[in-house]
């Protein structure tokens, strides 16, 4: 490599380090323990904070992303508008106490909705999909209806990025129409400046906000995991990710 090439590489590395320091300062200012990866679709730009050890965590409701694909592929529900009838059991979160569609179940993170369909599948079936998706450690647990909440399934922030890239590229052993349905229900923000396809998650001390963002015709994958010590911390799952985007000048 010539001198100019070395200089450009060094300058690029310094800029990446400076940007990652900004992200670190954001987390420190909120007194939040966590890790985040923000990466361009082509992988050319990758910004990371506290993720080098590749520690894995329970995916919680972020598993609704692959779970939606599995439920659709297995024909357990036909589309995002089919009604999921409420069983009449009152639960602590009021928005769950009503009929849902797949779209509203995803957006409201309706646990019982997804558990109903999970109960129709076998552990063998789930492990087969996890293997083909190369999702996390590919281990389920004792209860087929809650292994993503309190079982043995684990995934790292880097692992979430790898899976999200496959979702965006539609590079999964799933019918194209089902991946497009997933994308329709993942769309959470759509304005003149950017669009976000995302899912939050929370189980115990694990809090997640994962997805991808399009701004200025550029696609950015993101995966944020934070330690939840109180309900007040839940807002930081999304807030820290969005502030990091602004620190990197991806969002204005």
């Amino acid at each position: 490599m010539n001198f100019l090439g070395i200089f450009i590489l060094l300058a690029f590395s310094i800029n990446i380090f400076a940007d990652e320091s900004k992200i670190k300062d954001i987390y420190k200012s909120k007194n939040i323990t966590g890790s985040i990866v923000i990466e361009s679709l082509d992988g050319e730009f990758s910004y990371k904070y506290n993720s080098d050890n590749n520690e894995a965590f329970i995916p919680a409701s972020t598993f609704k992303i692959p779970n939606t694909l599995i439920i659709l592929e297995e024909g357990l529900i036909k589309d995002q508008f089919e009604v999921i009838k409420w069983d009449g059991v009152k639960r602590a979160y009021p928005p769950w106490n009503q009929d849902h569609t797949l779209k509203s179940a995803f957006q409201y993170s309706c646990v019982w909705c997804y558990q109903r369909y999970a109960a129709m599948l076998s552990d063998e079936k789930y492990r087969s999909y996890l293997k083909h998706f190369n999702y996390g450690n590919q281990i389920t647990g004792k209860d087929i209806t809650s292994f993503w909440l309190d079982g043995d399934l684990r995934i790292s922030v880097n692992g979430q990025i790898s899976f999200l890239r496959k979702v965006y590229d539609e590079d999964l052993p799933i019918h194209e129409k089902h991946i497009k349905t997933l994308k329709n229900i993942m769309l959470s923000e759509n304005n003149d400046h950017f669009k976000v396809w995302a899912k939050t998650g929370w189980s115990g001390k694990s809090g997640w906000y994962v997805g991808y963002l399009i701004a200025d015709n550029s696609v950015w994958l993101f995966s944020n995991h934070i330690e939840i010590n109180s309900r007040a911390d839940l807002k930081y799952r999304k807030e820290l990710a969005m502030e990091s985007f602004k620190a990197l000048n991806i969002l204005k």
Side-chain angles (χ1 to χ4, degrees), residues 35-38 58-66 106 135 155-165 167 186-188 196-201 207-213 220-226 237-238 241-242 245:
S35 53
I36 191 170
V37 175
I38 296 174
I58 197 143
S61 280
T62 66
F63 188 69
K64 285 184 173 66
I65 299 175
F106 186 93
Y135 186 93
I155 191 167
S156 66
V157 290
N158 293 299
Q160 293 269 23
I161 292 291
S162 296
F163 179 70
L164 289 164
R165 180 174 281 107
V167 170
M186 276 184 69
L187 183 61
S188 58
V196 179
W197 291 256
K199 187 72 192 77
T200 56
W208 288 98
Y209 184 57
V210 308
Y212 60 91
L213 173 149
W220 294 90
L221 308 166
F222 63 89
S223 174
N224 182 31
H225 178 273
I226 66 169
R237 296 173 297 176
K238 178 179 178 180
M242 300 308 285
F245 278 122

Side-chain angles (χ1 to χ4, degrees), residues 93-180:
Y93 186 46
W96 291 357
N97 300 328
Q98 59 186 9
D99 292 348
H100 278 280
T101 62
L102 190 59
K103 183 171 185 176
S104 66
F106 186 93
Q107 293 175 339
Y108 284 107
S109 220
C110 179
V111 172
W112 69 260
C113 296
Y114 278 82
Q115 287 182 319
R116 176 176 296 179
Y117 296 109
M120 301 178 188
L121 298 169
S122 66
D123 183 62
E124 181 181 6
K125 180 73 72 174
Y126 264 119
R127 284 188 283 108
S128 176
Y129 274 108
L130 293 173
K131 180 180 179 180
H132 285 102
F133 291 172
N134 193 24
Y135 186 93
N137 62 2
Q138 303 173 33
I139 301 173
T140 53
K142 294 179 180 180
D143 190 342
I144 199 65
T145 65
S146 64
F147 65 86
W148 60 89
L149 295 170
D150 54 19
D152 298 322
L153 185 62
R154 298 291 185 274
I155 191 167
S156 66
V157 290
N158 293 299
Q160 293 269 23
I161 292 291
S162 296
F163 179 70
L164 289 164
R165 180 174 281 107
K166 294 175 186 176
V167 170
Y168 180 85
D169 287 337
E170 301 184 5
D171 183 25
L172 289 164
I174 299 291
H175 283 86
E176 180 182 341
K177 66 177 181 178
H178 299 324
I179 301 178
K180 292 190 182 305

Side-chain angles (χ1 to χ4, degrees), residues 60-75:
S61 280
T62 66
F63 188 69
K64 285 184 173 66
I65 299 175
N67 216 1
T68 296
L69 294 175
I70 295 169
I71 290 167
L72 287 166
E73 188 73 8
E74 288 296 309

